[in-house]
Amino acid sequence: MTKVFPNNVYARLNTTPCSPVDGNGNGNAAILTVWKKSLLLNCSGFTVFDCKGNLVFRVDNYMAGNKGEIVLMDAAGKPLLTIRRKRLSLGDNWLVYDGESAVNPRFLVRKLMNILNTKCLAQVSSGGNSNNVNDDRSGSTGASSSSSSKNVLYQIEGSYTQRCCAVLDKKRRRVAEIQRKEAVGGVAFGVDVFRLVVQPEMDAPLAMALVLLLDQMFGSSRRLSLSH
């Protein structure tokens, strides 16, 4: 298998990333390599490196235990964000919480099924609107849908299966992108290794949380992790 990064990630947990990952609006874009593989044996998950090969984020064993819940951690294993499937929801709706909290979600992410807009994969709204989510399976554009659209913070467009999509803010600016990773040494990476580019205007943990949700909504892991 083509080597994702040469560094020994376990020996570099305390190093400083080469790009900002806190979304503070300063500096250049963070260019991260996402590997759909856990660092732990016999576990499923994701491992994320910065441009120097330093470990930045990790997700371990998210398809086991509490199904419908994903915990995004930093390099040392500290929970940054917890993603939970929204209960009693007819659509594919998820809530994003700080740390391991189960109250006051920061964001609501919902999969869109609108035949009139096939480019749009999902929308991200503020967590305060989590109790007012409507089922979008019919692709309706009624008053409730119009009201909900006013609270959208980000929209995700493109194709996750092709690893070619973008997160757009209210001004239609690309604040994060998922891209195919170039071939290295003549051997091309598959879809399990790809690039996540995060602009300074967006919080990098949130961008990675959106990757995890896209994988749940459109990736092959969805069949496993959401079975009840």
Side-chain angles (χ1 to χ4, degrees), residues 192-207:
D192 284 349
V193 178
F194 52 95
R195 177 181 289 114
L196 174 62
V197 180
V198 187
Q199 298 300 328
E201 294 80 13
M202 188 173 198
D203 185 50
L206 173 59

Side-chain angles (χ1 to χ4, degrees), residues 84-142:
R84 295 185 176 91
R85 182 79 178 263
K86 191 175 189 297
R87 297 180 179 180
L88 305 178
S89 174
L90 296 177
D92 203 347
N93 302 305
W94 296 77
L95 298 172
V96 181
Y97 300 83
D98 277 323
E100 294 182 286
S101 173
V103 296
N104 300 324
R106 288 183 59 192
F107 303 100
L108 164 71
V109 184
R110 58 176 180 165
K111 179 180 180 180
L112 294 187
M113 299 291 289
N114 191 333
I115 60 175
L116 300 179
N117 186 2
T118 57
K119 292 193 306 180
C120 188
L121 304 178
Q123 289 181 337
V124 183
S125 305
S126 59
N129 304 308
S130 61
N131 293 324
N132 299 315
V133 180
N134 297 291
D135 184 13
D136 288 337
R137 290 178 299 172
S138 63
S140 62
T141 56

Side-chain angles (χ1 to χ4, degrees), residues 34-36 46 160-164 178-181 188-195 215 220:
V34 181
W35 189 11
K36 192 176 176 181
F46 283 80
Y160 177 74
T161 56
Q162 298 297 319
R163 302 300 189 263
C164 180
I178 296 173
Q179 305 171 350
R180 296 291 294 266
K181 192 168 176 65
F189 286 114
V191 294
D192 284 349
V193 178
F194 52 95
R195 177 181 289 114
D215 195 70
S220 58

Side-chain angles (χ1 to χ4, degrees), residues 42-69:
N42 302 319
C43 285
S44 300
F46 283 80
T47 305
V48 185
F49 304 93
D50 68 11
C51 62
K52 291 183 179 179
N54 302 318
L55 182 63
V56 179
F57 304 125
R58 58 191 289 182
V59 176
D60 297 318
N61 209 30
Y62 74 91
M63 289 189 296
N66 187 1
K67 296 175 181 178
E69 177 176 297

